[in-house]
Amino acid sequence: MRFHIDNLLVYFPYDYVYPEQYDYMRYLKMTLDGVKGHCLLEMPTGTGKTVSLLSLILSYQLQDPTTGKLVYCTRTVQEMDKVVEELRRVMKFIQEEVKKDAHLKQEHHQQHHANKSGGDGKKKSQLLMDIEAIGGLGAKGGNTTATPSLASVGVEGMLGVCLSSRRNMCIHPAVSSFDNRNKVDALCRNLTAPFVRERGNPEELCSYYEAYSKTGSDAQLAGIYSLHDMMILGNDKGWCPYYMARYMINRANVVVYNYQYMLDPKISGMVSREIEKESIVVFDEAHNIDNVCIEALSVTLNNHILRKCSENIRKLENDLKKVEASDAKRLQDEYQSLVSGLFLGNNNNNNSSSSSSRGGGDQKRGEGGLMMGTPVLSKDILQEAMPGNIRRGRHFLQYLRILVEYIKSKLNDTEVSCQFPGQFMNGLTLGTRTGGIVGDPKGMRFCYSRLNSLLKTLEVTDLDEYTPIQLLANFVTLLATYTKGFRVLMEPHDDRTPHIKDPKLQLTCVDASIAIKPVFERFRNVIITSGTLSPLPFYTKILNFTPKLSEALTMKLSKKCILPLIVTKGSDQVPMSSKFEMRNDANCLKNYGQLLVELCAVVPDGIVCFFTSYEYMEQVVSEWGNKGGRKQPSILQQILKNKLIFIETKDVAETSMALDAFKKACDCGRGAVFFSIARGKVSEGIDFNNHYGRCVVMFGIPYQFTKSRVLLLRMDFLQTNYGVQDREFITFDAIRQTSQCVGRVIRSKMDYGIMIFADVRYSKADKVKKLPQWITHYLDPKHHNLSTDRAVYTVKQFLREMGQPRSLQAEIGETMLTREQVEKRARALGLGKKFAGGFQSEAESKGPPRLEPMAAAGRDEKHADDEAAGMEMELM
């Protein structure tokens, strides 16, 4: 259907639109209208968030030549594929509608010429003016950006492209046979580096890259390309899919790639530097975006890495001696470029104008010789000259050797220590006794760039072997660049294994806003969205920004197809919880098992269970495997009477096989239970729609390991700077993980599912209020403190109701809106008045509506769950 939101004609590829989708698109338009601004939007899972985003933004691009490209950031390859699928559907609909409009325009012109003698043709009809306002049909736009706007190229010239790592895109037989990302990157560089290509030996080159550089970079492509499509095109044309995608993102109207390509400065500096500031950036499924920001700017060093660093330095010293003896001019040229700052200009992405000329531009700028972009973000630092004490290669390697030895000595400490970056650098100056040369922040800030230059000059191959020295350079560069938002943490051992000496030195970023701040400053609009962003004020604090708009939508249902239940005790009234003091309680574990047994007896098809950690899952499953008596079957045996059992493991391949088998068991009617982990792969990227997930059970609350010093440092920073209390933050983090887990079970309005929060602590108000509104809206107060038997009785009633047939006609007008109902809704909201072809804004002559900015509101351990007893009592 087509409908108007204010003065914007929106193309929506379905016959019906959900009320939530309409409201979501309305909020999106408010964000895009007027001056630069960003937004936080929470939309219930399963209500078509992706298609709403694409429909609204593509429609906006079509009708506004000043709007740049859409950069859609996702977390996984599977999510990228879903985005491309919806993008194709939206663009196909737009193309069909534009063709119809073109035909109507032609008929109007014919009528115009036929009636010209009557003088009626001097004025265009309102409908014709509406049609010509659509991109591609009117005059070609006046966009001055490097990327042609969608309004100027029209729908037929639209280009959408996906980009991922070389490991996911390479089609070279030898290189693509490796699974390790660093290895694939290194092998690719060995075949495409400028110094390798200059030799001219075909056996040393990548034929796909060479073919693309010669012919493919001039190709004018249009259409929508997934990763699979890029690989097919690469095989058909003999072109490199990875470098082809790298080139295409500069011309594309829609780019889909991973968060890291936008947030990690080492990657974004190489890939995203030329994306125009008028672009719209979307972070989808962004509930963990703060953790992504922190991980992008954190570095950990240990003894193994430092030993490898020493080996790297020795190899580089040998290579340097060989070059000094055979080609001293090469080193002198490098020195002169460092003196004049020419290399830094290329490395730090100031030469953007040449990149769009050819696909081989990456190599022409020397990018093939770089390991990654600089990890720093400050523009002032990038404009400084390379310090004299590290310009010479041998001086720089000696500089690195001193750094390595000093950090090795720090790892010999037997006490935990935490320092600010400035304190650590003062200790470095005093400890190395070099007169302050090594501890000079200016030299340290350029450590990563200088290493990059040296590796390129020495024409080093197999860069994956030099990952340790790159980590060290990254550590040193970040340490000297940021005086705030970082801590240097020395731990002689892991607190969970205090008897094993395993020292590590961590440069920990505690301020997530550092990584995302350049994105907010650079781009016109940044949209942070997910189904589980509650409570929204937390994100404005931890990301330190003031959104133009912040909204959490609920879900409108004709039938209550979501059943959230908080089960706090067994039928014997013994409380259920995963908290520290109850973790080994046999009665508690038995009640957990009995709850699952009774659910398996009444819930059809698939049940998904989430545990707080691998360790806890192993403990619970082991207990369930014990027989209760001589003739009494174990919990697992009772479960197997009704359903098969599959388990997520730490091995990705094993988990994928288990998921496939789980779905087959559900398809054939046998039914199955899947045991999974909060914060694991399944909880983040796998949907259990329809019969694959009729019920999801969250056993316990997935708190982070509360003795983690990294977590404690971050909480201290948040409390000091933003007034976020420790208990509030770790509860917020645990509940957002819980929400993500239970959200796997409902993927559309015609779906239904049961959400069981099995822990007595979920009944407390501070936990309930942090759940998303679309869950709490359907959480009956009577269901806040249920026993197992009452919960199972409620489930039976719910399933009986869901078993009744549902009519599509009954949904229309309630949960699904036709175009006429959308227009009626617009009138009720006072958004517009009727005109030919749709609705026109009441305030169209006055410009777009203004929104007053909102008032500023003040390590993710992968599978850890153990809670300190003291903190646990506080969380009660």
Side-chain angles (χ1 to χ4, degrees), residues 206-217 237-240:
C206 173
S207 60
Y208 297 98
Y209 180 79
E210 295 302 314
Y212 174 70
S213 296
K214 292 175 183 177
T215 60
S217 57
K237 301 289 187 179
W239 297 343
C240 170

Side-chain angles (χ1 to χ4, degrees), residues 42 45 49 75 79 284-288 529-533 539 610 677-688 696 698 702 733-747 755 757 771-772 774-775:
E42 179 183 78
T45 59
K49 176 171 76 283
R75 298 169 304 164
E79 289 175 356
D284 196 7
E285 299 298 334
H287 47 276
N288 282 330
T529 186
S530 178
T532 52
L533 284 179
Y539 287 90
F610 288 98
I677 305 299
R679 306 179 192 272
K681 174 190 174 184
V682 173
S683 68
E684 290 289 338
I686 306 298
D687 294 337
F688 294 93
V696 60
M698 183 71 236
D733 180 70
I735 297 301
R736 68 172 166 177
Q737 300 302 329
T738 298
S739 303
Q740 190 64 22
C741 292
V742 299
R744 301 294 95 197
V745 79
I746 185 83
R747 307 313 297 173
M755 304 174 179
F757 303 89
L771 290 169
W774 60 272
I775 294 179

